[in-house]
Amino acid sequence: MTQQDIKQTRLNKYISDTGYCSRREADRLIEQGRVTINGKIPEMGTKVSDDDMVAVNGKPVKAKQKRIYIALNKPEGITCTTERHIQGNVIDFIDYSTRIFPIGRLDKPSEGLIFLTNDGDIVNKILRAGNAHEKEYIVKVDSTVTDNFLTGMANGVPILDTITKPCKVTREGRFKFRIILTQGLNQQIRRMCEHFGFQVKSLTRTRIMNIDMKGLKTGQWRLLTDSEMAEINSMVESSSSTEEASDYGQVKPKTKGVHSKRGVNSAARQKRFGYGDYAPTPGQVLNDEATSDFWNQDETSSDLNKQDEPTSDFWTQNEKSSDFVEQDSDVVEKDKPASFSDEQIASRARFDSAEKRKERKAPATRFSIIAEREKAKLANAKPSPEAPRVKGTLSLKKK
């Protein structure tokens, strides 16, 4: 047997396959020089065979473990992560004796079928959208499921800068439908429903490829049988595990106003803060600059070192209006300009706060937008008339 006939594996994958740690952690161990092959420290990317002696910290790693494949009926509230410090993680929930990890994700508020394994080779072959392996869901929403809604969901929905692939959608009840996907975009079904104004009340995954939840109650799990794995292996035999299979959707047309309602680039957020498709035109920018002259004049006219000089700041004028003069032991108020309402004063306070924050933030943040909005309010504000004095009310005497 020649050297070419011996099956070789990358060192990080070889260590991961033994269940010692993940590939990323194996890379760190190799970089730190804690891994040896036949007594010698290897380089990154070195390949090994079953005949080589691989050791970590001087101790040989165990032989490859038997492949483990688990089907779990995940309950609501469990997080599909291997991070053990996160409360309610799926690894602690199952508490299996050897290292395993979930294949894909199922949102924390969702429930249903999910696979866990120690076989890294099969993960991408199942998950890649281009491999077109089916996942089936039962979804309950807050509005009546209409024919237009079902047709729209089936034909593709613009979310996350793409259009979802066509899928199978059928009505199961007035507020319930069944959907079969071959993709796995982030919160895909929830985003698709929100595009049509529907909110998901419950979401349950009932099937992955040829495996369903039959016989599994919520929170229960079981090992997949040899016959089930043989069928899965035949289904993924021609599947790709590379990025070429990550064809997540159709090309999204460049149309204005078509956005997901979730995330930082949603239509509502763009409209509220004035960016993206809702960014101001050059003409609007010029108009905004013209209307800001009043505010700029007010800001530049106030000189703290010259308090006695007149100023055009209506706020300081209002503050100086409460002067009193004494005439024949009676207190008489000077004529005062009208005071501003509490809402206008609060608007000024919000503006000052936003201005201070804007100095520490990059341009076009929400703080600068709030400042511009409050500025426009104050520029168009009209003073509210002072309430007339009522005969018999007490007046303050100047000490």
Side-chain angles (χ1 to χ4, degrees), residues 30 47 67-68 85 101 113 138 176 192 199 211 228 238 274 276 287-288 303 305 345:
I30 297 170
K47 292 185 177 182
R67 300 298 190 187
I68 298 168
H85 65 274
F101 48 87
L113 186 62
I138 295 292
K176 187 191 302 184
M192 292 170 70
Q199 293 292 327
I211 307 299
E228 288 173 333
S238 60
N287 291 337
D288 291 342
D303 188 354
N305 296 326
I345 295 173

Side-chain angles (χ1 to χ4, degrees), residues 47 142 246 335 348:
K47 292 185 177 182
D142 62 343
S246 298
D335 293 334
R348 173 62 187 237

